[in-house]
Amino acid sequence: MQVLDRVKINQEISDLKKTYGDDRSALLPILQELQEKYGYLPNLVMQETAHALGIHPVEVESVASFYSFFRRKEKQGKYVLRLCQTISCDLSGKAKVARQLENELGIKFGETTKDGMFTLEYTNCLGMCDQGPALLINDRLFARVTPEKVPQIIADCRRDFIKSEFPKVVPSDVRKSGPILSHDLKPGEGLKAALKNTRSGVIGLIRESGLKGRGGAGFPTAVKWQLAGAAQSAKKFVVCNADEGEPGTFKDRYLLFNHTEMIFDGMTIAAYAIGADKGFVYLRGEYLYLKKHLQEILEKRRQNNLLGENILGKEGFNFDIEIRMGSGAYVCGEETALIESLEGYRGEPRNRPPFPVDTGFQNHPTIVNNVETFLDAALICVKGAKWFNEHGTEKSSGTKLFSVSGDCEKPGIYELPFGITIEQLLKEVKGENAKAVQIGGASGRCVARKDFNRTIAFEDISSGGSIIVFGPQVDMLEVAINFMEFFVEESCGQCTPCREGNVKLLEGLKLLEEGRCSASYLNELMRLAETIQLASKCGLGQSSPNAFVSIIENFKSEILGRVPEKA
Ligand code: SF4
């Protein structure tokens, strides 16, 4: 049993406060570091953290219980093995790998081995959908894991070889580059071009380009920047949403490692445009292995005066960026939940209005943009609005990065113009045989063959970039169950339609699986789905039944006509 030393814990907290500050927003990073040290969050550690930050211990307990990466009771193993349970990894053989892991370690998922070496857990999307099944061991990723590879991986952990022998970053398959991915800009070039312009000139250029947020919602970037720029406040913030958690999406992981400088250029340009002096990258906990790389690039930029004070000689233009880690909560991809998390609270979405451009981080005007949006903005500042919007459609300008996984011959990252039809996309990825495609991840919609002439664009089917291809053999009911399990797990629980409604939809799908759901009950569930879409507070709840509805609509006869296994 671990003996805890109150004096030592207090010293550690006081050291961490020097790095993260002493206000509430330091809570998550301090807890993350202390968990790393102690293997879990003992009560004494949480109590002392609460005292040190001047908050009630119950508040700390409440925050720790919200995020799936925090462990409050059982000490986790020296190696925490997190196997991805998202649909793409399911399709590539996750179940067999799971059984092999359990056999090899002699424990079930959710347990820790008696020797304290291994903890086995499921996790949602690891951003390796094109190379599944994916396994995260502490901060190290393993792609294309097979049952045969499991014994060797475990043996390497036991010998502590894992630290030296495996690369942390698994290379991505970029199958098609376009104007964005094949840019030839040097670090700072986007920022230098922007600084030759006025602040309003930069926003004007972004408006002219037609750039819309690449996270999926498609809000015009220039409008967001304009509103935050016009807001009166002594402090403003720029936040890069790198909480890429939508099942089936992995292009931000690639961008964060390979186009880091341009993403930071984009953030710094945004800061210049709105008058911010502080930025955050909110990086999902599953991408911890990218943190060191990002910090190294930030340090280089400070040395080159691309960050810091009077940036590139521009008197009074001061800006710096800090990396903050998520802790395993999909809902934090929603911008107000992300801000709550940054402030040290449970990642529960806020009521809107007020919007973050007025009342964001610590009640100051804040813009939150996706990784890809910042990259695009930096390139537009050098290459111009026309260069950008000569691709795409009138309402969806530019090219878009897609993460393609599932039943196709060429999964990977594709840069394609908005307005491409699903049929054209399937030809590119060699998935013409598909019976359905999930566009936009779990919160997107499932499109069947008859609609493959539809286009991917904000005015037709919008997408943050996740494309999952389902071949003729895929059981669509199992797909729907996988997505609903995801939402039941990830709902923050704040509002009833999302918290309770999704559980009911999942129960209905299980009844269908057992052949015990009548057509009339299914109709009732469809009405419930509509209520969830209309009455939920945030985008997560509003979009959570999308997959359910579109799968039932498109595959009703397949689903109702199936013979239950035990019948
Ligand atoms: Fe939370 Fe769901 Fe309500 Fe959003 S819709 S606030 S995720 S319970």
Side-chain angles (χ1 to χ4, degrees), residues 28 87 124 212 286 299 362 403 517 532:
L28 259 79
I87 190 71
N124 286 323
K212 289 181 175 174
E286 292 84 347
E299 197 43 50
Q362 295 178 338
S403 316
C517 178
I532 300 170

Side-chain angles (χ1 to χ4, degrees), residues 17 24 73-75 87 94 113 123 160 173 212 215 241 258 261 279 331 373-374 390 420-421 430 450 455 491 504:
K17 278 167 66 178
R24 172 81 189 233
K73 294 204 167 60
E74 191 195 349
K75 191 171 183 300
I87 190 71
K94 173 217 83 186
T113 53
T123 185
D160 268 352
D173 265 339
K212 289 181 175 174
N241 184 346
N258 295 283
E261 293 273 11
V331 69
T373 312
F374 283 122
E390 69 190 13
I420 189 168
T421 65
K430 298 230 170 301
K450 66 178 170 49
T455 60
S491 166
K504 284 283 162 216

Side-chain angles (χ1 to χ4, degrees), residues 301-315:
R301 289 178 73 86
R302 285 181 196 114
Q303 284 162 15
N304 294 330
N305 194 219
L306 295 169
L307 286 173
E309 299 200 343
N310 303 320
I311 292 173
L312 293 177
K314 194 90 176 170
E315 195 67 31

Side-chain angles (χ1 to χ4, degrees), residues 10-82:
N10 275 312
Q11 186 54 52
E12 286 161 354
I13 295 171
S14 132
D15 290 345
L16 288 168
K17 278 167 66 178
K18 286 181 196 142
T19 307
Y20 298 111
D22 56 8
D23 64 14
R24 172 81 189 233
S25 72
L27 178 58
L28 259 79
I30 289 180
L31 291 181
Q32 286 159 347
E33 298 252 8
L34 292 172
Q35 172 162 290
E36 176 72 23
K37 208 165 262 229
Y38 291 96
Y40 74 121
L41 290 173
N43 283 338
L44 185 62
V45 165
M46 288 198 281
Q47 279 161 16
E48 293 309 309
T49 306
H51 292 150
L53 294 178
I55 47 185
H56 198 284
V58 171
E59 283 273 298
V60 176
E61 171 77 26
S62 156
V63 167
S65 67
F66 182 83
Y67 296 92
S68 66
F69 277 17
F70 286 131
R71 297 178 76 87
R72 287 167 297 143
K73 294 204 167 60
E74 191 195 349
K75 191 171 183 300
Q76 63 188 7
K78 181 175 177 189
Y79 293 106
V80 182
L81 283 66
R82 294 190 169 105

Side-chain angles (χ1 to χ4, degrees), residues 331 349 491-495 498 536-538 540-541:
V331 69
S491 166
C492 82
Q494 244 192 118
C495 60
C498 171
S536 289
K537 179 174 166 180
C538 83
L540 186 151

Side-chain angles (χ1 to χ4, degrees), residues 552-565:
I552 298 292
E553 279 174 352
N554 285 315
F555 297 98
K556 198 169 187 174
S557 54
E558 172 188 315
I559 288 171
L560 281 174
R562 67 188 259 133
V563 180
E565 272 175 29

